[in-house]
Amino acid sequence: KCRTGPLDIVFVIDSSRSVRPFEFEIMRQFMMDIIGSLDVGPNATRVGVIQYSSQVQNIFSLKTFFTRADMEKAINSIIPLAQGTMTGLAIQYAMNVAFTTQEGARPPHKKIPRIAIIVTDGRPQDRVTEVATQARHAGIEIYAVGIQRADMNSLRAMASPPLEEHVFLVESFELIQQFGKQFQDKLCGVDLCMEQDHGCQHSCVSTPGSFYCECNPGYRLNVDGKTCSPIDVCADGRHGCQHQCVNTRGSYLCRCRAGYYLNQDKRSCTMIDYCSFGNHSCQHECVSIPNGHYCRCRSGFTLQPDSRSCMATDLCNGVDHGCEFKCVSTEGSYRCVCPEGQQLQADGKACSKCGAGHVDLVMVIDGSKSVRPQNFELVKQFVNRVVDLLEVSPHGTRVGLVQYSSRVRTEFPLNKYHSADEIKKAVMEVEYMEKGTMTGLALKHMVEHSFSELEGARPLSHNVPRIGLVFTDGRSQDDISEWARRAKESGIVMFAVGVGKAVEEELRAIASEPVEQHFSYSADFTTMTHLVENFKLNICPEEGKGEMEIRSPCECEALVQFQTNTVAILQSLTEKNILWVSLAHSLAQMTARLEDLEKQIAKKK
């Protein structure tokens, strides 16, 4: 075997139409014979093959195969191009592509010889002299092998000097295989690493007519070109260790600080989770720290002197109290309270509903893309919490729902459902619209359609309050001022509820006076509970009259009693046969009093 040192060899094979099939088979064998004599491998000789005619085709690169079996298999699979003879183009490709480090050629500083073996049977159809000169100046040693009809002048123009060692003309294809055995000697020479005292501290690498020294991994070659010094990998900062770098002989290793362990990548560190050992005895939470752990109590609890157990400092924060409105802590216990004007129910947690007031309520909810699907589900839950406050019925409170984004959609009008359960079911079935935030368009739709009698709003003559609740999470993309003003001018009591990036200026523009009682804000969708309570406090005092309702039951009872007494007196007078004149006079007085009382009651309504 040719073991004088590593080489980078690229075969440049002519597969023009003048090369007949059996002749191309001989060229295949020529390449395989030469490869068979070489010591191939990633650190030994590397081989690449390209074929050319009117174009150039890469068969395999210097980096593709490192065994003779793989190379022979690829060579046997070559299909000739059978076109013209563009030898200059092939040399250009070898120089610009085949012998680049990207394609597997060793870097120039390693001094690995770069050898191109050009095999052709004819005269080039393009210019070769200039491109061959460029290739030789780039450090490529060119062997030109011509067969039969090859042009000797072209061969000499391509080959490296001395020409007698780099130009060969084989008279027939039958002789090229025999020539291949002789050509092997041209690639081999004296192994100077074996023939003389090279002086390399670690290893010697032979090259044709010379040699050079190399160092083992983890060492660098000194300026004398022979001795080696260990590389301080930790000092150059490229080690990648997260905590500590420790130099070893010719290499390094990473180490973690106390309380951490080294991960599988052998570079990064993870803190030891002492809490996972299961022996911390913390009542609530265990928190790991380097070299140990400590116990921590949940919100509303205080860590006791034993550093493990916890005691509640505020039971309202420490337990699931279930209070509908507010929880008030007492010593060792707690109690639920309700807003002013509402009573605590028998369960000690719920408050009386806002059932006395009958209203027409339209809720306008933001379905823009900024809300996001998971938050939109929270918005629907918010709507249903509001519905839970009300006594829904055809003659009581009516509820409608509108959703908006870049457009507006009535989910259901005021006259669609007649019970809270029907409304809550319909709310949960509402589909998220996404897209933009046209709040002004939604207000226009509410004023022009949602509170129309066609969609279930009761006539203004019935004195049923009209309430609009607008829910939004961001700045409107259109103007809201005009339709917010029109809504309030048309008698709609406007409530504005904002979450997240809602703009306070817009919320105030929507809300009725006094503004502070008609707008609410929450920084996050998950903490909107207090918004329901704020709405409840403000809507309950505004009780509607209803279609059949009389505001003062006492006045009603007085009227009935007065009418009863009048009838009794009339019957008594009739039975005693009092004069018709006296009866007429009495009737006139009583009728006048009755009309006067009715007028007083009407004014109070």
Side-chain angles (χ1 to χ4, degrees):
K1 301 296 181 183
C2 180
R3 298 183 181 276
T4 58
L7 305 171
D8 287 343
I9 298 178
V10 174
F11 289 93
V12 183
I13 303 302
D14 182 354
S15 65
S16 60
R17 66 173 65 92
S18 62
V19 179
R20 288 169 288 185
F22 80 92
E23 295 173 338
F24 194 81
E25 294 306 315
I26 295 173
M27 294 173 71
R28 288 188 210 267
Q29 192 60 49
F30 167 72
M31 287 187 285
M32 290 190 288
D33 286 345
I34 294 178
I35 292 172
S37 68
L38 301 173
D39 180 22
V40 298
N43 297 319
T45 294
R46 299 182 182 181
V47 178
V49 175
I50 61 177
Q51 68 165 334
Y52 74 94
S53 60
S54 297
Q55 58 184 335
V56 181
Q57 182 186 41
N58 181 49
I59 305 303
F60 58 85
S61 304
L62 292 167
K63 66 179 180 181
T64 307
F65 301 122
F66 297 111
T67 66
R68 282 185 291 276
D70 289 336
M71 294 177 186
E72 290 176 0
K73 183 178 179 181
I75 290 172
N76 282 324
S77 65
I78 299 175
I79 299 175
L81 298 172
Q83 296 172 353
T85 311
M86 304 294 285
T87 311
L89 182 65
I91 297 172
Q92 186 80 44
Y93 181 90
M95 177 176 61
N96 293 343
V97 180
F99 280 109
T100 61
T101 55
Q102 290 84 353
E103 292 296 305
R106 265 72 63 96
H109 72 270
K110 287 191 173 289
K111 300 179 181 178
I112 306 295
R114 297 180 174 182
I115 298 174
I117 303 174
I118 303 173
V119 183
T120 178
D121 80 324
R123 183 187 300 274
Q125 295 176 337
D126 57 354
R127 302 174 65 88
V128 298
T129 302
E130 183 177 348
V131 68
T133 301
Q134 293 175 355
R136 293 194 298 269
H137 288 166
I140 301 173
E141 185 177 1
I142 301 177
Y143 287 87
V145 180
I147 303 172
Q148 286 187 339
R149 301 171 296 278
D151 178 58
M152 179 57 74
N153 290 332
S154 297
L155 297 177
R156 294 171 65 87
M158 292 186 288
S160 296
L163 297 179
E164 59 271 17
E165 295 182 9
H166 292 84
V167 177
F168 304 93
L169 184 60
V170 182
E171 294 179 354
S172 67
F173 275 95
E174 290 79 3
L175 296 175
I176 192 170
Q177 189 172 351
Q178 180 180 352
F179 163 75
K181 293 180 170 49
Q182 299 173 356
F183 187 76
Q184 294 166 9
D185 296 336
K186 297 293 181 182
L187 302 178
C188 300
V190 177
D191 188 347
L192 293 180
C193 287
M194 300 293 294
E195 295 294 328
Q196 66 183 53
D197 182 12
H198 51 74
C200 297
Q201 182 179 355
H202 285 180
S203 60
C204 175
V205 180
S206 291
T207 62
S210 184
F211 70 90
Y212 64 91
C213 298
E214 276 193 347
C215 297
N216 295 334
Y219 292 81
R220 64 166 61 90
L221 193 66
N222 294 327
V223 293
D224 60 7
K226 296 181 181 295
T227 60
C228 302
S229 298
I231 299 172
D232 187 353
V233 180
C234 293
D236 65 16
R238 294 179 296 175
H239 50 78
C241 297
Q242 183 178 356
H243 284 183
Q244 301 169 353
C245 175
V246 179
N247 282 302
T248 60
R249 184 176 178 83
S251 186
Y252 70 97
L253 58 86
C254 297
R255 184 179 295 164
C256 296
R257 295 191 295 269
Y260 294 79
Y261 64 86
L262 194 65
N263 295 323
Q264 291 184 352
D265 61 8
K266 302 300 181 185
R267 284 177 169 78
S268 60
C269 301
T270 298
M271 188 175 68
I272 298 172
D273 185 4
Y274 290 96
C275 293
S276 65
F277 297 162
N279 60 350
H280 52 76
S281 302
C282 297
Q283 182 180 353
H284 282 184
E285 301 173 359
C286 175
V287 181
S288 288
I289 57 175
N291 297 320
H293 71 281
Y294 67 90
C295 295
R296 182 171 62 192
C297 296
R298 294 192 294 270
S299 177
F301 291 80
T302 303
L303 191 66
Q304 297 305 293
D306 62 5
S307 298
R308 287 180 171 80
S309 58
C310 302
M311 178 176 289
T313 54
D314 183 355
L315 283 176
C316 286
N317 289 328
V319 298
D320 183 13
H321 53 77
C323 296
E324 180 181 344
F325 178 68
K326 184 184 295 184
C327 174
V328 178
S329 292
T330 60
E331 186 174 356
S333 184
Y334 68 92
R335 62 185 176 87
C336 298
V337 297
C338 292
E340 183 178 356
Q342 299 186 40
Q343 294 182 348
L344 194 66
Q345 299 298 293
D347 62 2
K349 299 181 184 297
C351 300
S352 59
K353 287 188 177 182
C354 179
H358 296 156
V359 299
D360 286 343
L361 170 64
V362 175
M363 288 182 273
V364 182
I365 59 174
D366 187 347
S368 61
K369 62 182 177 182
S370 61
V371 175
R372 296 184 295 182
Q374 63 271 30
N375 289 333
F376 190 72
E377 294 302 312
L378 296 177
V379 173
K380 293 196 288 186
Q381 293 177 21
F382 168 83
V383 171
N384 282 345
R385 289 286 300 274
V386 173
V387 173
D388 284 335
L389 302 176
L390 309 168
E391 292 290 351
V392 179
S393 68
H395 296 292
T397 291
R398 298 180 183 180
V399 178
L401 183 65
V402 173
Q403 183 187 175
Y404 73 97
S405 59
S406 297
R407 56 190 179 89
V408 184
R409 182 174 70 206
T410 298
E411 301 295 351
F412 53 84
L414 289 165
N415 57 5
K416 177 72 172 180
Y417 301 112
H418 306 302
S419 70
D421 289 339
E422 288 179 310
I423 292 174
K424 290 166 67 175
K425 181 181 178 182
V427 168
M428 297 313 295
E429 292 174 352
V430 170
E431 294 182 357
Y432 178 39
M433 292 176 69
E434 215 170 350
K435 298 190 178 178
T437 312
M438 304 294 283
T439 313
L441 185 64
L443 292 171
K444 180 177 186 292
H445 180 90
M446 181 193 70
V447 172
E448 293 183 340
H449 300 285
S450 301
F451 283 105
S452 66
E453 294 183 25
L454 182 64
E455 294 200 2
R458 283 162 284 196
L460 292 174
S461 61
H462 287 182
N463 295 321
V464 177
R466 295 181 174 184
I467 297 179
L469 171 62
V470 179
F471 182 100
T472 180
D473 85 319
R475 183 182 295 275
S476 176
Q477 294 174 339
D478 61 353
D479 180 62
I480 66 166
S481 58
E482 179 182 356
W483 287 102
R485 176 180 55 80
R486 289 196 188 187
K488 287 175 280 190
E489 288 177 352
S490 66
I492 303 171
V493 179
M494 296 297 297
F495 287 81
V497 176
V499 177
K501 297 182 179 179
V503 180
E504 181 177 350
E505 180 183 352
E506 292 186 355
L507 297 176
R508 288 179 173 272
I510 294 172
S512 293
E513 295 290 344
V515 172
E516 299 301 328
Q517 295 182 14
H518 291 83
F519 96 96
S520 302
Y521 174 79
S522 177
D524 187 76
F525 283 86
T526 60
T527 58
M528 295 191 297
T529 305
H530 73 280
L531 301 182
V532 179
E533 303 302 336
N534 290 347
F535 183 71
K536 179 178 180 180
L537 287 172
N538 287 292
I539 193 176
C540 283
E542 298 293 330
E543 295 178 354
K545 300 176 183 178
E547 295 179 43
M548 304 297 295
E549 184 182 3
I550 299 177
R551 294 179 63 93
S552 175
C554 296
E555 293 173 352
C556 178
E557 291 175 3
L559 179 62
V560 172
Q561 184 64 44
F562 180 80
Q563 291 173 332
T564 303
N565 293 340
T566 301
V567 172
I569 293 172
L570 288 172
Q571 290 176 346
S572 175
L573 289 174
T574 301
E575 291 173 355
K576 293 179 180 180
N577 199 19
I578 299 177
L579 294 174
W580 284 101
V581 175
S582 298
L583 177 60
H585 179 72
S586 297
L587 283 174
Q589 288 181 331
M590 286 186 288
T591 300
R593 289 180 60 189
L594 179 61
E595 289 177 352
D596 184 59
L597 182 58
E598 286 178 342
K599 289 178 181 179
Q600 292 180 18
I601 293 174
K603 289 180 180 179
K604 290 181 180 180
K605 290 182 181 180

